[in-house]
Amino acid sequence: MPQFVCPGCYRVLEFAGQGATRCPSCGWNGEAYLFNPAATVVQSAELALPDDATCIHHPRKKATAVCAGTGDYICSLCAVELDGQTFSTEYLNAAGKMKAGKAFQRELPRPDSQITLYLLLPFIPYVDFVAVPFAFLWLPHGFFLYAKCLRMRREDPLFSRLFGTGRAIILPILLSIYSLAWLVGAGFGIWGLAQYFKLFK
Amino acid sequence: MSVDLRSNTLFSRASLLLMDDCLIKLEHGRTKDRVRRYSFDRIESVVIYRQIPWVRLIICAVVLLLPGFLLLLAGETSETVTGIVLMACAVFLIVWYLYCRKTTIRVVRAGQQYEVAGIFRPGRFRRFRDRLIGGINAVQLPFAPPIPPVATLEPPPLPVEPPPMPVESIANPTQA
């Protein structure tokens, strides 16, 4: 009988099915869905017979694959599958570190969040005193980040779900409006300064 | 297509995305997100329960409802209007929180327990739950058949007995 732990009293409950359920001891109400997960299959590496190819890292083990990074024979202990290719753990620890890091990616850069932050800075009190005069620095960076977003959207399916069409349209429009407003403001400022100096000449 | 569920709390923001073979939890940061993937093949159970979000309700009452009520007592027109607006906001938020309630999704995968809690719209959450359960069942189907829902947990039907044959005709077919 499948089991799960009651979130209310931490008792192990037996529940044959899926859907609404109730804990008989604490009265907890909720839904439980129990599944049949795949059992973990642990295969020990076979010992090599005299005619067998052997693993480069374990000379007594039979080779079962070829490392896509180094081309060496490797046993099942050393083989790691990444994106449909087999690599040896030694390779992934050394030259293939970047490849392993990319495959087991734990962090997703969000240039779109950074653009949003840039666009919010001029509206935050006190921060705007710094953000507005230095917009000539962060606005081009904002456009650069937008280009990065578009590239990531093409390459990464996860990012493409986060960076939808709406954002892809709105962000450059807002950046352009802000750039235009800043240019007009800067133009007026320069013109005003010129008038001021002309007046006192 | 955007994220499937968003969970916003005071200290963290997270999003849940359902892919074909895994559930992805994104913990949002300022410039990058922490990605946690829970592949469907090793998920043992999903437990979902809903609670009343007492903390949010109390914060709503203290920050909006109470000042609104005190402003109502002041008697001036502008303060009365402000008080009514504050109280209306508080009542709307409290009703919304009571309607949605705090939903906790607990996923047990390979003996490890992972939790996501948030206030989700019921319809959106129902769609998410159905897709999640369907996705896990679809991935685990090749390993083992899914456990049937409660409604179909019935004893198998008894074999239907054939109607009794006319004994006379079998005993002596020539008589017919």
Side-chain angles (χ1 to χ4, degrees):
Chain A
M1 183 81 84
Q3 295 174 331
F4 74 97
V5 178
C6 168
C9 61
Y10 301 102
R11 267 185 63 177
V12 177
L13 299 177
E14 289 190 341
F15 179 56
Q18 301 197 341
T21 184
R22 192 172 187 278
C23 176
S25 61
C26 71
W28 169 84
N29 276 309
E31 297 171 38
Y33 300 88
L34 308 178
F35 303 96
N36 296 310
T40 314
V41 181
V42 182
Q43 287 179 335
S44 57
E46 278 182 55
L47 282 175
L49 295 172
D51 286 343
D52 286 339
T54 56
C55 172
I56 191 162
H57 307 297
H58 303 97
R60 290 175 59 195
K61 307 285 185 196
K62 185 181 172 181
T64 54
V66 175
C67 173
T70 59
D72 292 328
Y73 284 122
I74 49 173
C75 64
S76 57
L77 283 177
C78 302
V80 176
E81 239 181 70
L82 287 183
D83 301 328
Q85 287 186 306
T86 309
F87 296 96
S88 66
T89 48
E90 294 284 327
Y91 170 73
L92 292 178
N93 241 345
K97 217 162 206 170
M98 289 275 284
K99 200 182 278 284
K102 209 174 173 185
F104 298 111
Q105 188 186 18
R106 292 285 181 268
E107 281 182 342
L108 180 73
R110 292 296 299 272
D112 55 327
S113 301
Q114 212 171 332
I115 298 173
T116 313
L117 187 69
Y118 278 159
L119 290 171
L120 285 174
L121 284 180
F123 299 100
I124 300 171
Y126 302 109
V127 177
D128 54 359
F129 284 109
V130 183
V132 174
F134 287 96
F136 67 94
L137 288 177
W138 59 259
L139 274 170
H141 190 232
F143 281 106
F144 169 75
L145 288 173
Y146 177 70
K148 197 176 169 185
C149 285
L150 291 182
R151 182 172 55 78
M152 282 179 69
R153 193 178 175 215
R154 278 196 305 275
E155 290 172 357
D156 192 345
L158 180 59
F159 187 77
S160 71
R161 279 192 66 177
L162 296 167
F163 190 70
T165 317
R167 274 192 180 201
I169 293 168
I170 285 172
L171 282 183
I173 291 173
L174 290 176
L175 280 173
S176 305
I177 289 172
Y178 198 88
S179 305
L180 208 65
W182 190 82
L183 283 174
V184 169
F188 268 112
I190 291 167
W191 179 78
L193 279 176
Q195 293 297 317
Y196 177 79
F197 284 119
K198 208 186 275 177
L199 203 70
F200 287 95
K201 246 181 186 177
Chain B
M1 201 157 55
S2 61
V3 296
D4 293 300
L5 276 186
R6 278 178 211 279
S7 157
N8 291 326
T9 62
L10 195 60
F11 301 109
S12 67
R13 289 185 308 122
S15 296
L16 292 175
L17 287 103
L18 281 171
M19 305 301 264
D20 290 338
D21 59 344
C22 64
L23 169 69
I24 294 178
K25 183 185 174 191
L26 290 174
E27 292 167 5
H28 298 296
R30 206 171 55 246
T31 57
K32 52 179 70 175
D33 294 349
R34 182 84 167 80
V35 183
R36 297 179 192 275
R37 289 170 196 268
Y38 309 112
S39 52
F40 288 159
D41 57 349
R42 302 280 303 282
I43 287 181
E44 292 162 16
S45 68
V46 176
V47 176
I48 297 163
Y49 56 97
R50 302 169 87 194
Q51 296 163 308
I52 294 169
W54 288 111
V55 177
R56 286 191 188 220
L57 292 182
I58 290 167
I59 289 172
C60 258
V62 170
V63 173
L64 293 172
L65 199 65
L66 195 65
F69 183 70
L70 291 176
L71 282 171
L72 267 184
L73 295 178
E76 297 291 325
T77 314
S78 60
E79 285 161 357
T80 310
V81 170
T82 313
I84 288 170
V85 169
L86 279 179
M87 284 184 74
C89 288
V91 168
F92 172 77
L93 280 175
I94 287 170
V95 169
W96 176 250
Y97 288 147
L98 285 174
Y99 171 63
C100 293
R101 291 201 281 175
K102 182 184 167 191
T103 311
T104 306
I105 308 167
R106 179 178 287 183
V107 175
V108 178
R109 185 183 173 276
Q112 297 282 321
Q113 199 166 281
Y114 307 96
E115 264 189 18
V116 184
I119 290 173
F120 311 120
R121 268 187 308 180
R124 196 180 175 126
F125 177 74
R126 216 175 298 124
R127 279 197 298 277
F128 170 82
R129 182 197 61 193
D130 293 344
R131 280 187 60 203
L132 174 70
I133 304 302
I136 297 171
N137 277 331
V139 167
Q140 292 188 2
L141 196 63
F143 314 124
I147 297 165
V150 179
T152 59
L153 273 180
E154 292 167 357
L158 294 169
V160 180
E161 286 183 15
M165 295 285 285
V167 180
E168 298 82 10
S169 62
I170 294 172
N172 192 358
T174 51
Q175 273 183 0

